[in-house]
Amino acid sequence: MNLQHERIAALCAQLKLDCVATDWAPLAQRTAAADSSMADFLEQLLQAELGAREERKRQVLTKLAALPGVKAACSERTSMRREAAPHQIWPVQQQQRKVGSSMS
């Protein structure tokens, strides 16, 4: 890798342009071979960066949306409440009220 490639990689890292850092060199070669303009090169490079960011965003949102541990814990507590008879819950609720009012 030459010095210019290293500077470009460093600038891309600072700007958080991960896809640009990896895709610019091969894309520049394809653009030169196709005799395309610099504007075409820039447009394709920015489209690649945008696509990579959207894919990362989708992956993060998918990972965050799948919360089986939290859902399982909530459903266990709900099922425990359903299993308890009303006469078991009522005294506990009254005790909590008494403790709360005596603290005021």
Side-chain angles (χ1 to χ4, degrees):
M1 189 186 298
N2 67 28
L3 191 57
Q4 185 178 33
H5 288 219
E6 290 174 12
R7 288 193 311 255
I8 290 171
L11 289 168
C12 287
Q14 283 181 321
L15 295 170
K16 295 181 174 39
L17 298 172
D18 300 331
C19 188
V20 170
T22 58
D23 290 358
W24 78 270
L27 187 56
Q29 289 176 352
R30 281 196 307 256
T31 302
D35 201 28
S36 298
S37 68
M38 290 299 289
D40 292 334
F41 165 73
L42 182 59
E43 181 182 6
Q44 291 173 5
L45 190 60
L46 294 174
Q47 284 290 340
E49 180 66 33
L50 180 63
R53 286 182 181 206
E54 287 175 350
E55 179 60 30
R56 278 192 303 273
K57 178 180 165 184
R58 192 172 322 141
Q59 289 173 354
V60 167
L61 291 175
T62 302
K63 184 184 261 187
L64 291 175
L67 302 170
V70 173
K71 290 178 183 176
C74 289
S75 64
E76 285 177 23
R77 279 188 245 124
T78 304
S79 65
M80 287 171 41
R81 281 191 218 131
R82 281 190 217 128
E83 292 170 5
H87 69 275
Q88 293 172 323
I89 297 172
W90 180 255
V92 173
Q93 289 175 342
Q94 285 184 334
Q95 273 183 331
Q96 288 173 347
R97 287 189 192 131
K98 287 179 185 177
V99 170
S101 63
S102 66
M103 295 178 90
S104 334

